[in-house]
Amino acid sequence: MTNFYVMTLFPEMIEACLGGSIIGRAREKGIISVNAVNIRDYTLDKHKKVDDYCYSGGAGMLMQPDPVCRCHEAICSEMGLPDGVKPRTVYVTPQGTRFTEQMAVDFSKEEYLIFLCGHYEGIDERALELVATDYVSIGDYVLTGGEMPACIMIDAISRLIPGVLNNEESAVGESFTDGLLEYPQYTRPPEYRGLRVPEILLSGDHAKIEQWKLEQALKRTYERRPEMYEEYLRTHKLPKKTILPDKKEGKL
Ligand code: ADE
C-alpha cells in the first residue's frame, strides 16, 4: 500500500484531480491512499494567516515556516513510523530536479510519500531545510502553485504500482518504459476520410508487424525527440534488417 500525503493550502484541488478515473478506483480498492492535508489548519495565528512579507523585499509573500513544520509533524506522527525515520518529503518547485519516469519508478517503491506544495513566492527556506528530502520540478515553466505538479507526479507514480492498472491499461511497452516513443496505433474502420490503416497491420504477419512497430517507434523518436533517439541507438542492439529513419528517407 502506498500512502500519499499532500500538504497544501488548496486541498480541494487534489481531490478534483485524483478523485476519479483510474486513481479514484485504486483508492477505492485500497491499493493507494491520497490524503490532502490543509496547511492552514496548523497555523496558531488567530486569523489563520500562513504567509508574510519576504525579508529580501520584493512584491510577493512567502509561506511562513511554522504551519508547514507543524503540519509535517502531524502527518509523520499519524504514520506511526519508528523514531528517527523520516518519510520522503518532496518539495514541489520549479527550482527542483526534473521529474522523469525513472524517478516515478523509484518513488513507487516507497510506502509513504509526502508532497509539499508551495504557493505565493514559495516557502521560508528553514521549513524546507527541516522537512524536505527531495526537490522536484515537472518541467521548465512556472505554474501558480505546486498542486497540479504534485497530482501529475502522484498519477505517474501510482500507475506503476501493481494492481493500479488492469491488463488493458498495462504500463509495459509504452513510451519511456523502453526508451522510445510509441508507434502510431489504429482501430476500425480500415479507411477513414481517405486515410488507410497501414496494410502491414492488416496482413496478419506478426513478425513483420513487430518489425514495423520498431521502425515506426524509431522514426517518431528521431523526428520528435532526437536526443532520445541517439541515446537509444547508443544503448540498444537493433535487428540487422532494421531500416533506420534517417537512412530510409534521406531527410526528415
Ligand atoms: N510550482 C510552480 N511551477 C512548478 C513546476 N514547473 N514544477 C513543480 N512545481 C512547480
Side-chain angles (χ1 to χ4, degrees):
M1 168 104 171
T2 308
N3 301 281
F4 297 102
Y5 287 82
V6 185
M7 297 170 59
T8 170
L9 292 172
F10 302 95
E12 67 283 0
M13 287 181 75
I14 307 304
E15 244 353 277
C17 257
L18 301 175
S21 186
I22 295 171
I23 303 301
R25 185 185 66 196
R27 292 170 70 184
E28 275 164 23
K29 284 205 268 175
I31 305 168
I32 62 169
S33 74
V34 179
N35 312 279
V37 185
N38 196 338
I39 297 170
R40 199 177 294 280
D41 292 344
Y42 294 89
T43 176
L44 298 177
D45 180 84
K46 64 174 182 290
H47 304 293
K48 298 234 166 236
K49 198 167 99 84
V50 290
D51 59 336
D52 211 329
Y53 296 101
C54 293
Y55 275 119
S56 50
M61 302 286 272
L62 211 56
M63 285 167 68
Q64 294 170 299
D66 193 53
V68 172
C69 288
R70 286 166 36 79
C71 179
H72 189 258
E73 276 159 9
I75 293 171
C76 291
S77 54
E78 185 186 312
M79 286 173 186
L81 297 172
D83 268 357
V85 178
K86 260 179 85 177
R88 250 173 128 175
T89 302
V90 179
Y91 179 45
V92 179
T93 168
Q95 271 81 47
T97 310
R98 184 102 54 92
F99 186 65
T100 61
E101 188 70 20
Q102 186 52 51
M103 279 165 90
V105 170
D106 290 346
F107 283 133
S108 73
K109 295 170 185 150
E110 301 286 336
E111 198 178 341
Y112 293 99
L113 269 174
I114 303 177
F115 288 86
L116 169 58
C117 303
H119 253 271
Y120 316 116
E121 285 301 294
I123 301 180
D124 183 289
E125 191 67 23
R126 292 163 297 180
L128 300 175
E129 238 174 78
L130 291 165
V131 309
T133 58
D134 299 78
Y135 295 78
V136 186
S137 164
I138 59 160
D140 291 345
Y141 40 83
V142 180
L143 303 168
T144 53
E147 285 73 15
M148 286 192 278
C151 290
I152 285 169
M153 291 189 246
I154 291 170
D155 187 286
I157 296 163
S158 296
R159 63 189 288 289
L160 300 172
I161 295 166
V164 170
L165 299 185
N166 59 35
N167 272 346
E168 294 93 79
E169 299 152 354
S170 153
V172 289
E174 286 181 335
S175 300
F176 299 109
T177 53
D178 65 356
L180 287 177
L181 301 182
E182 242 183 309
Y183 51 83
Q185 301 195 75
Y186 301 88
T187 181
R188 282 185 294 186
E191 183 170 332
Y192 178 69
R193 300 194 180 191
L195 299 174
R196 286 198 57 76
V197 173
E199 283 313 316
I200 200 155
L201 295 179
L202 311 174
S203 72
D205 184 334
H206 293 295
K208 277 218 173 105
I209 291 173
E210 283 311 306
Q211 187 61 23
W212 178 89
K213 290 199 295 198
L214 173 64
E215 286 170 5
Q216 290 295 313
L218 286 164
K219 177 174 186 292
R220 178 165 282 186
T221 311
Y222 176 75
E223 288 171 352
R224 299 182 186 175
R225 295 291 301 273
E227 80 297 350
M228 220 170 131
Y229 174 77
E230 290 306 325
E231 178 64 11
Y232 188 85
L233 285 197
R234 207 176 59 71
T235 52
H236 290 74
K237 211 168 149 24
L238 295 171
K240 265 213 180 66
K241 58 189 171 196
T242 308
I243 302 167
L244 296 180
D246 37 350
K247 295 197 179 129
K248 188 172 174 185
E249 304 196 350
K251 62 166 174 69
L252 267 166

